[in-house]
Amino acid sequence: MNNKRTKWKITYLRYLFQAVVIIALVYLALGFGRRTFEAYCPFGGVEALYGLFTTGNYTCALSEANLAMFIGLIALVVLSKKSFCSWICPVGAIGELLNRVGFRIRHKKQLIGPKADRVLRWLRYPVLLIVLYFTYKIEDLIFRGYDPFYLIFSGFGHGSLGMASIVIMASILLASLLISLPFCRYLCPLGAIQGFLAWVGIAKIYRDEGTCIDCGLCDRACPQLIPVSTKNNMRHIDCTNCLECVEVCPVKNCLEVKVF
Amino acid sequence: MFKIPKIFIPILLVVIIFVAVKSSSLLALPSAEYDNPSLTSGAKLSGIEMIVKGVKCRGTSNFFISRLKDSGGIASIKAFAGENRCVIKYDPQQTNPERIKELVEAPYFQAETNQWIEGIFAVTSSKMLQE
């Protein structure tokens, strides 16, 4: 059996990471610090690419920090899948928190079946294409009005769409109570970009079929709703290496992080 | 295929984010720039680097440049919105850092509202650049 010390080390360490990131972003959003909170969004690096190639400048409020974060993110995805999403991204952290609350409200039921879930996950790709098309065409950060990250930390600031942004934000928050991580799994354009590389993910979780007792705890623990107990390794593009499944597994060394 | 400790993942995250943040200056490009060819060739120029609150995007960078470029003695301006940083080269015979700061922070007249607007830009720190 797993001992409790490991749970303390990793699960709580992840919560600590998420809390530190949120505190740092609030600090920057309040005007302290040299850069704005927006400078640390890796999606800004993707939005900046077209402007860099065509005019040699960063679009709107984007800067070298966004591009550096995006390059770092790509390196991270190749090495450790979508770990940015579960360890760093504040939208993921807030979504996870709401999901924990909602899990009790909806009596531990998943409101979207596996088939619909698989289809909805494809929505991220048209969202990505639409956002990039209009960002590149208009040379402005059009996603600001829809982006929970920007709307939360800017306090519906410059670039938000007034009532429309409030409705969008409220819908995402409400949906996060009813469905596990709806924005991350169905709409996030940064998630779509990572998806292209996440299957490479050198460090991933492996399941030992021989020792697995098919208790299903890992399936229920996964915030991305990946059926962990049916897979021998988490090559799944949405695995974020949050290690929740590893933590809840009652069999020692059944679920482990391995490279290659 | 070999097992690695779980702590590898947070360590990797910290290292990559740290490297990305620290090396971001290598990718720095001005969000807007201006050159005055009549001054950049020949004249002995001085330089000042200022951190300007309010220079936060390409639009405000362009506005910052428009406030200074015709004031006389300005040879070049580079605005880096990501760091609120502006690098200004000037002819010390025609202007000086105090005059530049004054111009940056001066109120401006907004024709659409028929009002003077204050506090668009504020110089929070500055340093002279070595030639």
Side-chain angles (χ1 to χ4, degrees):
Chain A
M1 296 285 168
N2 268 352
N3 60 36
K4 288 284 175 191
R5 273 184 62 216
T6 314
K7 182 177 172 60
W8 188 90
K9 273 184 192 168
I10 293 299
T11 309
Y12 291 174
L13 183 63
R14 191 165 71 84
Y15 299 155
L16 180 68
F17 265 60
Q18 292 175 329
V20 167
V21 169
I22 289 175
I23 291 167
L25 289 169
V26 169
Y27 178 83
L28 294 172
L30 291 173
F32 304 108
R34 195 156 161 185
R35 295 182 188 274
T36 68
F37 70 94
E38 229 183 339
Y40 297 99
C41 174
F43 189 63
V46 188
E47 293 175 304
L49 289 176
Y50 183 78
L52 283 173
F53 284 119
T54 53
T55 64
N57 285 318
Y58 290 103
T59 306
C60 194
L62 301 174
S63 68
E64 60 279 5
N66 295 103
L67 188 60
M69 286 294 287
F70 177 61
I71 294 168
L73 178 83
I74 296 298
L76 193 62
V77 176
V78 172
L79 293 172
S80 178
K81 300 179 69 67
K82 287 179 167 178
S83 43
F84 177 88
C85 302
S86 61
W87 289 78
I88 303 288
C89 181
V91 178
I94 294 165
E96 240 185 274
L97 185 69
L98 290 172
N99 182 45
R100 280 177 197 280
V101 175
F103 201 59
R104 292 169 198 277
I105 297 169
R106 60 180 191 264
H107 304 296
K108 304 181 181 179
K109 283 180 190 159
Q110 295 303 340
L111 299 182
I112 292 182
K115 274 187 185 172
D117 179 61
R118 270 198 299 275
V119 174
L120 286 169
R121 283 178 200 255
W122 286 95
L123 264 179
R124 288 173 295 187
Y125 298 97
V127 169
L128 171 68
L129 291 176
I130 291 166
V131 169
L132 290 185
Y133 174 76
F134 284 106
T135 303
Y136 292 164
K137 190 175 179 189
I138 301 167
E139 291 189 47
D140 198 2
L141 305 179
I142 57 108
F143 190 49
R144 273 175 166 177
Y146 312 88
D147 179 6
F149 169 71
Y150 180 78
L151 294 175
I152 291 169
F153 289 99
S154 71
F156 292 85
H158 171 73
S160 74
L161 309 170
M163 188 49 75
S165 289
I166 293 171
V167 170
I168 289 163
M169 196 64 228
S171 308
I172 291 170
L173 294 177
L174 183 65
S176 301
L177 286 169
L178 303 173
I179 306 160
S180 182
L181 304 175
F183 180 80
C184 308
R185 293 189 302 133
Y186 304 145
L187 298 170
C188 180
L190 189 62
I193 291 170
Q194 291 181 83
F196 293 123
L197 289 169
W199 64 271
V200 179
I202 292 170
K204 53 185 158 287
I205 297 161
Y206 282 79
R207 185 180 69 100
D208 181 355
E209 215 174 347
T211 58
C212 179
I213 57 171
D214 293 321
C215 63
L217 284 174
C218 48
D219 299 342
R220 288 196 287 276
C222 180
Q224 297 285 338
L225 306 186
I226 300 168
V228 181
S229 64
T230 63
K231 298 181 184 302
N232 290 334
N233 65 59
M234 294 317 116
R235 203 175 284 278
H236 195 291
I237 58 166
D238 283 333
C239 176
T240 61
N241 270 345
C242 67
L243 306 177
E244 289 286 332
C245 56
V246 181
E247 297 299 294
V248 297
C249 181
V251 181
K252 194 174 181 183
N253 300 336
C254 178
L255 288 171
E256 290 179 315
V257 183
K258 294 182 180 176
V259 292
F260 296 107
Chain B
M1 188 167 64
F2 55 92
K3 185 183 170 181
I4 53 163
K6 285 178 273 187
I7 198 75
F8 168 81
I9 290 167
I11 291 173
L12 186 69
L13 273 159
V14 170
V15 170
I16 288 181
I17 301 283
F18 181 80
V19 171
V21 171
K22 285 291 169 191
S23 59
S24 64
S25 58
L26 299 173
L27 303 166
L29 287 169
S31 37
E33 55 190 317
Y34 161 77
D35 272 307
N36 180 351
S38 65
L39 276 177
T40 45
S41 55
K44 185 166 167 41
L45 301 174
S46 296
I48 184 169
E49 184 182 275
M50 300 194 295
I51 303 298
V52 184
K53 194 179 167 190
V55 174
K56 54 190 178 184
C57 63
R58 203 196 295 179
T60 48
S61 300
N62 283 325
F63 185 54
F64 175 86
I65 287 172
S66 73
R67 302 211 71 193
L68 284 182
K69 67 176 187 175
D70 299 324
S71 64
I74 301 293
S76 71
I77 308 168
K78 284 182 180 173
F80 300 83
E83 297 176 300
N84 312 128
R85 185 166 62 92
C86 302
V87 178
I88 300 155
K89 294 272 173 72
Y90 61 92
D91 180 354
Q93 304 292 320
Q94 297 183 51
T95 189
N96 58 60
E98 288 71 35
R99 169 85 182 127
I100 293 171
K101 278 186 213 173
E102 258 177 44
L103 286 165
V104 169
E105 294 181 335
Y108 89 102
F109 186 74
Q110 192 177 52
E112 302 90 57
T113 57
N114 206 28
Q115 279 180 330
W116 284 93
I117 309 286
E118 288 201 52
I120 296 283
F121 299 117
V123 179
T124 55
S125 67
S126 64
K127 67 174 180 188
M128 298 301 294
L129 297 173
Q130 299 296 320
E131 285 305 301

